[in-house]
Amino acid sequence: MRRLTALPPQRAAALAGRYAAARADARRRTMLGLALLAVALALSCHAAEVRPLVLAANFGKFTAYIQQIVPVLRPDRIGPDLAEWYWGLPKWLSLLGETLMMAYLGTLLGALGGFVLCFVAAGNLVRSSAIRFAAKRFLEICRTVPEIVFALIFVIAFGLGPMVGVLALAIHTTGALGKLFSEVVENIDMKPVEGLTGTGASWVETVRFAVLPQVLSNFASYGLLRFEINVRGAGVMGFVGAGGIGQELLIAIRNFYYSDVSAILLMIVLTVFAIDLSTEKLRHHLIGGEGMR
């Protein structure tokens, strides 16, 4: 067994001094970062008018409202109580189905738009900086404006109805998925692209046979994730007259129909739970994560 040779005392002292200086420098950077974070947090709380004492003083009002919307379910009359709680179940299910269709169609149209534009916005496929700049800025505009703002604009232009929600979700989804898709494209292996380009293949052929096989699973995964988000977004669209279950929820809140509020909220929550669980398994399957738990 080979013996380790001890460093000379001067050399060991010099290395220990450098190590201590490096540790001290790292601690100073950490403390500076924490101080900046604390200052930013304080400024943010001041600008947003976050008052912990006010929050604590009025928290009881929130819990009181929750208590009001919780229905009375008696064990000896559970059937009649449930029937009274969900008196509008057929109508609510119809509106919930309308919300799901809004989310599905908005996601599908937005995914198609993002799919088309992501290749144009990818720096490793398009060499023209002007084309990439235009595509990226358009995607930024689409995802920067909130869906609810688009819905308000479309309500003024086209009137009330679920089509307004579909258009708003589609535009915002185009911007969000276009960015995610382009980032996936920019991280592909370029050897197949270079090989096809060297054989004289066109740009479209290169995308079809060298790029798509590498990115389709990730595209599908992001699309499913966006569908989950859009289901929640579609539920809010009814607040501005864009149809769906959100419009009925707003009516119940404004008219203080407490039991209706809890019934509709529970339906939305259970629907989102079911969609999250099913799409999560499907996403894991698509990206090769069948064994993930």
Side-chain angles (χ1 to χ4, degrees):
M1 185 174 180
R2 188 174 180 180
R3 296 180 60 185
L4 296 176
T5 303
L7 292 173
Q10 293 181 347
R11 178 63 174 168
L15 290 176
R18 292 180 183 177
Y19 176 73
R23 288 286 303 273
D25 186 56
R27 283 195 296 268
R28 284 194 296 270
R29 289 198 300 268
T30 302
M31 294 303 296
L32 178 60
L34 291 175
L36 292 175
L37 179 63
V39 171
L41 179 62
L43 292 176
S44 300
C45 291
H46 177 73
E49 297 183 358
V50 176
R51 303 290 185 267
L53 295 179
V54 176
L55 177 64
N58 292 276
F59 189 76
K61 296 179 180 179
F62 171 75
T63 56
Y65 184 79
I66 296 298
Q67 292 175 355
Q68 286 180 318
I69 67 174
V70 173
V72 177
L73 299 177
R74 293 160 290 187
D76 57 334
R77 299 190 70 256
I78 189 68
D81 286 344
L82 284 175
E84 182 180 355
W85 189 22
Y86 277 92
W87 66 272
L89 184 61
K91 177 184 178 181
W92 295 339
L93 285 176
S94 176
L95 292 173
L96 183 60
E98 184 177 276
T99 298
L100 292 176
M101 291 300 101
M102 287 167 54
Y104 170 75
L105 189 55
T107 304
L108 180 61
L109 296 176
L112 290 175
F115 178 84
V116 172
L117 292 173
C118 73
F119 302 108
V120 182
N124 56 344
L125 295 182
V126 176
R127 301 304 176 189
S128 173
S129 58
I131 295 177
R132 292 200 315 272
F133 180 86
K136 289 183 176 181
R137 299 296 82 77
F138 176 76
L139 292 174
E140 286 176 359
I141 293 173
C142 290
R143 69 175 178 270
T144 300
V145 180
E147 302 104 314
I148 199 73
V149 175
F150 279 127
L152 285 170
I153 296 173
F154 290 138
V155 163
I156 296 173
F158 304 112
L160 304 177
M163 182 185 73
V164 169
V166 172
L167 293 175
L169 291 173
I171 293 177
H172 198 274
T173 301
T174 297
L177 287 183
K179 175 179 174 58
L180 295 174
F181 288 175
S182 65
E183 291 178 351
V184 173
V185 172
E186 289 178 341
N187 287 285
I188 64 172
D189 182 6
M190 290 299 293
K191 291 180 180 179
V193 176
E194 295 169 357
L196 276 179
T197 303
T199 61
S202 66
W203 186 83
V204 175
E205 292 171 339
T206 302
V207 170
R208 167 64 181 85
F209 296 104
V211 180
L212 279 182
Q214 301 186 60
V215 300
L216 276 181
S217 62
N218 284 320
F219 279 14
S221 177
Y222 281 130
L224 290 171
L225 177 61
R226 189 67 201 182
F227 174 63
E228 298 174 16
I229 298 172
N230 283 346
V231 170
R232 303 179 184 95
V236 180
M237 290 297 164
F239 282 33
V240 295
I245 193 68
Q247 192 165 342
E248 191 71 14
L249 178 60
L250 180 62
I251 293 174
I253 293 173
R254 285 179 172 176
N255 291 281
F256 302 101
Y257 299 154
Y258 295 118
S259 61
D260 291 4
V261 172
S262 60
I264 295 172
L265 283 177
L266 182 60
M267 289 178 60
I268 296 174
V269 170
L270 292 178
T271 302
V272 172
F273 279 173
I275 292 174
D276 283 350
L277 291 173
S278 58
T279 54
E280 180 183 8
K281 292 182 179 179
L282 185 55
R283 284 201 313 272
H284 290 166
H285 175 73
L286 290 172
I287 63 177
E290 295 87 343
M292 297 179 65
R293 296 182 182 271

